[in-house]
Every structure is written in C-alpha cells, then in structure tokens.
Coordinates of all heavy atoms in Angstrom, one line a residue:
D144 N -29.1 -27.3 43.4 CA -30.3 -27.0 42.5 C -30.5 -28.2 41.5 O -29.6 -29.1 41.5 CB -30.3 -25.7 41.9 CG -29.3 -25.6 40.6 OD1 -28.7 -26.6 40.2 OD2 -29.0 -24.5 40.2
P145 N -31.6 -28.3 40.7 CA -31.7 -29.5 39.8 C -30.6 -29.6 38.8 O -30.6 -30.7 38.1 CB -33.1 -29.1 39.3 CG -33.8 -28.4 40.2 CD -32.8 -27.4 40.8
Y146 N -29.8 -28.6 38.5 CA -28.8 -28.7 37.5 C -27.4 -29.0 38.1 O -26.4 -29.0 37.4 CB -28.8 -27.4 36.7 CG -30.0 -27.1 35.9 CD1 -31.1 -26.4 36.4 CD2 -30.1 -27.6 34.5 CE1 -32.2 -26.1 35.7 CE2 -31.3 -27.4 33.8 CZ -32.4 -26.6 34.4 OH -33.5 -26.5 33.7
G147 N -27.4 -29.3 39.5 CA -26.2 -29.6 40.1 C -25.3 -28.4 40.5 O -24.2 -28.7 41.0
N148 N -25.9 -27.2 40.5 CA -25.3 -26.1 41.1 C -25.5 -25.9 42.5 O -26.6 -26.0 43.0 CB -25.7 -24.9 40.4 CG -25.5 -24.9 38.8 OD1 -24.5 -25.1 38.3 ND2 -26.7 -24.8 38.1
E149 N -24.4 -25.7 43.3 CA -24.5 -25.3 44.7 C -24.9 -23.9 44.9 O -24.3 -22.9 44.4 CB -23.2 -25.6 45.4 CG -23.4 -25.4 46.9 CD -22.1 -25.6 47.7 OE1 -21.2 -26.4 47.1 OE2 -22.0 -25.2 48.8
L150 N -26.1 -23.7 45.6 CA -26.5 -22.3 45.9 C -25.6 -21.6 46.9 O -25.3 -22.2 47.9 CB -28.0 -22.4 46.5 CG -29.0 -23.0 45.5 CD1 -30.3 -23.0 46.2 CD2 -29.0 -22.4 44.2
Q151 N -25.2 -20.4 46.6 CA -24.1 -19.7 47.3 C -24.8 -18.6 48.2 O -24.3 -18.2 49.3 CB -23.1 -19.1 46.5 CG -22.4 -20.1 45.5 CD -21.5 -21.0 46.4 OE1 -20.9 -20.6 47.4 NE2 -21.3 -22.2 45.9
L152 N -25.8 -17.9 47.7 CA -26.3 -16.6 48.3 C -27.8 -16.6 48.7 O -28.2 -15.7 49.3 CB -26.0 -15.5 47.4 CG -24.6 -15.2 46.9 CD1 -24.6 -14.1 45.8 CD2 -23.8 -14.8 48.1
T153 N -28.5 -17.6 48.3 CA -29.9 -17.6 48.5 C -30.4 -17.8 49.9 O -30.4 -18.8 50.4 CB -30.6 -18.6 47.6 OG1 -30.2 -18.5 46.2 CG2 -32.1 -18.4 47.6
Q154 N -31.0 -16.7 50.5 CA -31.6 -16.6 51.8 C -32.9 -16.0 51.7 O -32.9 -14.8 51.4 CB -30.7 -15.9 52.9 CG -29.5 -16.6 53.2 CD -28.8 -15.7 54.4 OE1 -28.2 -14.7 54.1 NE2 -28.7 -16.3 55.5
M155 N -34.0 -16.7 51.7 CA -35.3 -16.1 51.5 C -35.7 -15.5 52.8 O -35.7 -16.1 53.9 CB -36.3 -17.3 51.1 CG -35.9 -18.0 49.8 SD -35.5 -16.9 48.5 CE -37.1 -16.3 48.2
A156 N -36.1 -14.2 52.7 CA -36.7 -13.5 53.9 C -38.1 -13.8 54.2 O -39.1 -13.2 53.9 CB -36.6 -11.9 53.7
V157 N -38.3 -15.0 54.8 CA -39.6 -15.7 55.0 C -40.5 -14.9 55.7 O -41.7 -14.6 55.3 CB -39.4 -17.1 55.6 CG1 -40.8 -17.6 56.1 CG2 -38.8 -18.0 54.7
V158 N -40.1 -14.2 56.8 CA -41.0 -13.4 57.6 C -41.5 -12.2 56.8 O -42.6 -11.7 57.0 CB -40.3 -12.9 58.9 CG1 -40.3 -14.1 59.9 CG2 -39.0 -12.3 58.8
D159 N -40.6 -11.6 55.9 CA -41.2 -10.6 55.1 C -42.2 -11.0 54.1 O -43.2 -10.4 53.8 CB -40.0 -9.9 54.3 CG -39.1 -8.9 55.1 OD1 -39.5 -8.5 56.2 OD2 -38.1 -8.6 54.6
E160 N -42.0 -12.2 53.5 CA -43.0 -12.7 52.5 C -44.3 -13.1 53.3 O -45.3 -12.9 52.7 CB -42.3 -14.1 52.0 CG -41.1 -13.7 51.1 CD -40.5 -15.0 50.5 OE1 -40.4 -16.0 51.3 OE2 -40.1 -15.0 49.4
L161 N -44.2 -13.6 54.5 CA -45.4 -13.9 55.2 C -46.1 -12.6 55.7 O -47.4 -12.5 55.7 CB -45.1 -14.7 56.4 CG -44.6 -16.2 56.1 CD1 -44.2 -16.9 57.3 CD2 -45.7 -17.0 55.4
A162 N -45.4 -11.6 55.9 CA -45.9 -10.3 56.3 C -46.7 -9.7 55.2 O -47.8 -9.3 55.3 CB -44.9 -9.3 56.9
A163 N -46.1 -9.8 54.0 CA -46.8 -9.3 52.8 C -48.0 -10.0 52.5 O -49.1 -9.6 52.1 CB -45.9 -9.3 51.6
A164 N -48.0 -11.4 52.7 CA -49.1 -12.3 52.4 C -50.3 -11.8 53.4 O -51.4 -11.8 53.0 CB -48.7 -13.7 52.6
G165 N -49.9 -11.6 54.6 CA -50.9 -11.3 55.6 C -51.7 -9.9 55.2 O -52.9 -9.8 55.4
E166 N -50.9 -9.1 54.6 CA -51.5 -7.7 54.3 C -52.6 -7.9 53.3 O -53.5 -7.0 53.1 CB -50.4 -6.8 53.8 CG -50.9 -5.5 53.3 CD -51.6 -4.7 54.2 OE1 -51.5 -4.9 55.5 OE2 -52.3 -3.7 53.9
L167 N -52.6 -9.0 52.5 CA -53.6 -9.1 51.5 C -55.0 -9.2 52.1 O -55.9 -8.9 51.4 CB -53.2 -10.4 50.7 CG -52.0 -10.3 49.8 CD1 -51.8 -11.7 49.1 CD2 -52.1 -9.2 48.7
V168 N -55.1 -9.7 53.3 CA -56.4 -9.9 53.8 C -56.6 -8.8 55.1 O -57.8 -8.7 55.5 CB -56.7 -11.3 54.5 CG1 -56.6 -12.3 53.4 CG2 -55.7 -11.5 55.6
K169 N -55.6 -8.0 55.3 CA -55.8 -7.1 56.3 C -56.3 -5.7 55.7 O -57.3 -5.1 56.3 CB -54.5 -6.8 57.1 CG -54.0 -7.9 58.1 CD -53.0 -7.5 59.0 CE -51.7 -7.2 58.2 NZ -50.6 -6.8 59.2
G170 N -55.7 -5.2 54.7 CA -56.1 -3.9 54.1 C -55.7 -2.7 55.1 O -55.2 -2.9 56.2

C-alpha cells in the first residue's frame, strides 16, 4: 500500500460487486 505495508488478506469479491452494480439498473 502507499504506506509501505504488505496487504495480507485483501481479496475483493469482484463478481459480487458487479452483480450489485447491475441490480441498480435492473430493479
């Protein structure tokens, strides 16, 4: 990260985030 820390656990659930984004226009 910008402060020199190594990220240990961060895995972003991208497909969940995109699914939620899609719901905004589906209703």
Side-chain angles (χ1 to χ4, degrees):
D144 71 13
Y146 293 90
N148 303 303
E149 182 177 344
L150 300 180
Q151 302 289 333
L152 301 173
T153 306
Q154 289 180 294
M155 305 305 296
V157 167
V158 287
D159 281 348
E160 294 176 317
L161 293 173
E166 174 59 18
L167 294 174
V168 300
K169 287 192 294 180

